[in-house]
Amino acid sequence: MRAIFYDSQGPARDVLRFGELPRPRVGAGEVLVRVHVSAVNPSDVKNRTGFTGPMRYARIVPHQDGAGVVEAVGAGVTPERIGERVWIYEAQTGRAAGTAAEYVAVPARNAVPLPEAVSFEVGATLGVPAMTAHRCLFADGGLEGRRVLVHGGAGAVGTAAIQLATWNGAEVVATVRRAEQVDAARRAGAESVLVTGSMDTANLRTALGGRGADRIVDVALNENLDVDLAALADGGVISAYATASPTDEVCVPMVRAMVANAAVRFVYVYTVPAQGKAAAVADIGDCLRDGGLRPRIGLVVPLERTVDAHLAVEAGAAAGRVLIRVADDQADE
């Protein structure tokens, strides 16, 4: 099968290779998926560069997320799943091989039925961003009638957070870094969008209806902490899911946080408890069927150009998700 792989960590142009690898065998409790579309996430880049630690396998086929069709099943999995359209999450978690290949074997629960009306491209965007957003939003209860602040509202997680929160009945305010990103956050469903450089506590609090945010989804906690505490409603939760450096530390001003009865939650999607992942899968499926998840696609390249896709993610050069078209024949879309 055609695949992308690397045998050492480093820059994309130096280590990513395109070639032929044996088709994976499907084990007990697994399904074999013919991959149509693979997605590149920042965590895939960080794994390749060594940001998240050394390689755990001698050779890695990258990428956690994707979408395709179940071609075979292992022992203990119903044969009725053969031919099923699916979206895939955490394909390369605890395994050497992810979705940057024509075939991938994953635990059956990690291949989730994809509604017929939803494209493989959309399916491939769901895993890391939507499941991260779900944990940030719902780990502390439902959102009906609540106010949510989403930093980085034009990003992959930010867009998913806006759409999931709106779908669940929340009022959403978003921030973006650049004026040209305002429209993307508004199209995702944010009622108000503020540009970070022009943001102050007064206009942010006004946008949040005067009483503050019950949930804050934060992509840059150190940068935003002062604003977050000022914008937080009493008893609100700040959920942080990203960092610029593996050695970053956060210093929380105790008195301000205590007065606000604040909670700070740290979210790393790969270690979310099983029940949290199951809840995310269920809600993402419902939101998809309701038309509530509408990710932006910024760049689609063929498998042999995966290096370009990694470089685009590293540079933040694509206005939307970066995808790899793996299957040559997309007729059954």
Side-chain angles (χ1 to χ4, degrees):
M1 68 173 183
R2 297 178 309 130
I4 295 291
F5 56 92
Y6 58 91
D7 299 328
S8 62
Q9 292 169 314
R13 292 195 189 278
D14 294 344
V15 303
L16 288 179
R17 298 167 59 190
F18 173 68
E20 291 286 332
L21 293 179
R23 184 183 299 191
R25 295 180 179 179
V26 59
E30 294 183 337
V31 296
L32 180 70
V33 179
R34 179 173 183 259
V35 180
H36 283 243
V37 180
S38 175
V40 185
N41 289 294
S43 58
D44 299 314
V45 170
K46 291 175 180 178
N47 286 340
R48 190 249 306 152
T49 61
F51 180 100
T52 50
M55 290 178 62
R56 298 176 61 185
Y57 306 95
R59 170 170 288 173
I60 289 176
V61 175
H63 303 173
Q64 301 286 353
D65 296 343
V69 177
V70 175
E71 188 155 299
V73 299
V77 181
T78 175
E80 293 177 0
R81 295 208 64 182
I82 295 173
E84 185 176 68
R85 302 171 78 254
V86 295
W87 61 273
I88 303 163
Y89 70 93
E90 294 183 7
Q92 205 256 302
T93 299
R95 288 173 294 278
T99 64
E102 290 184 290
Y103 293 90
V104 65
V106 296
R109 66 179 174 275
N110 289 47
V112 185
L114 183 67
E116 288 294 332
V118 179
S119 70
F120 289 126
E121 282 85 358
V122 169
T125 70
L126 298 174
V128 170
M131 294 182 76
T132 297
H134 187 278
R135 182 66 175 177
C136 290
L137 292 167
F138 297 105
D140 299 280
L143 300 177
E144 181 70 38
R146 295 186 179 274
R147 288 182 173 87
V148 173
L149 171 62
V150 177
H151 291 300
V157 175
T159 298
I162 293 170
Q163 292 174 349
L164 283 166
T166 302
W167 167 78
N168 200 241
E171 299 175 17
V172 181
V173 172
T175 71
V176 295
R177 289 190 178 275
R178 302 188 301 275
E180 58 267 28
Q181 296 174 319
V182 168
D183 186 56
R186 283 184 176 149
R187 287 200 311 270
E191 296 186 14
S192 300
V193 183
L194 303 175
V195 179
T196 303
S198 63
M199 180 177 63
D200 61 46
T201 302
N203 61 23
L204 180 56
R205 195 117 188 151
T206 298
L208 289 164
R211 68 175 181 83
D214 301 292
R215 304 275 198 283
I216 298 178
V217 180
D218 205 324
V219 66
L221 182 60
N222 267 329
E223 180 181 325
N224 297 322
L225 183 57
D226 184 64
V227 170
D228 286 350
L229 289 174
L232 199 65
D234 185 66
V237 180
I238 303 167
S239 288
Y241 65 88
T243 180
S245 166
T247 60
D248 272 356
E249 296 182 356
V250 177
C251 182
V252 178
M254 283 290 294
V255 172
R256 289 185 67 195
M258 289 167 62
V259 169
N261 289 291
V264 180
R265 175 179 290 281
F266 295 93
V267 174
Y268 185 61
V269 68
Y270 303 108
T271 53
V272 168
Q275 64 270 28
K277 291 179 181 178
V281 166
D283 283 348
I284 289 167
D286 289 343
C287 192
L288 268 179
R289 283 183 283 273
D290 292 342
L293 278 171
R294 308 171 306 280
R296 290 188 305 155
I297 309 300
L299 176 67
V300 183
V301 300
L303 184 63
E304 59 269 25
R305 286 183 54 203
T306 296
V307 167
D308 295 337
H310 275 240
L311 293 175
V313 170
E314 289 184 80
R321 298 303 313 282
V322 175
L323 304 179
I324 310 297
R325 187 176 293 281
V326 180
D328 292 328
D329 179 11
Q330 299 289 298
D332 56 350
E333 284 269 34

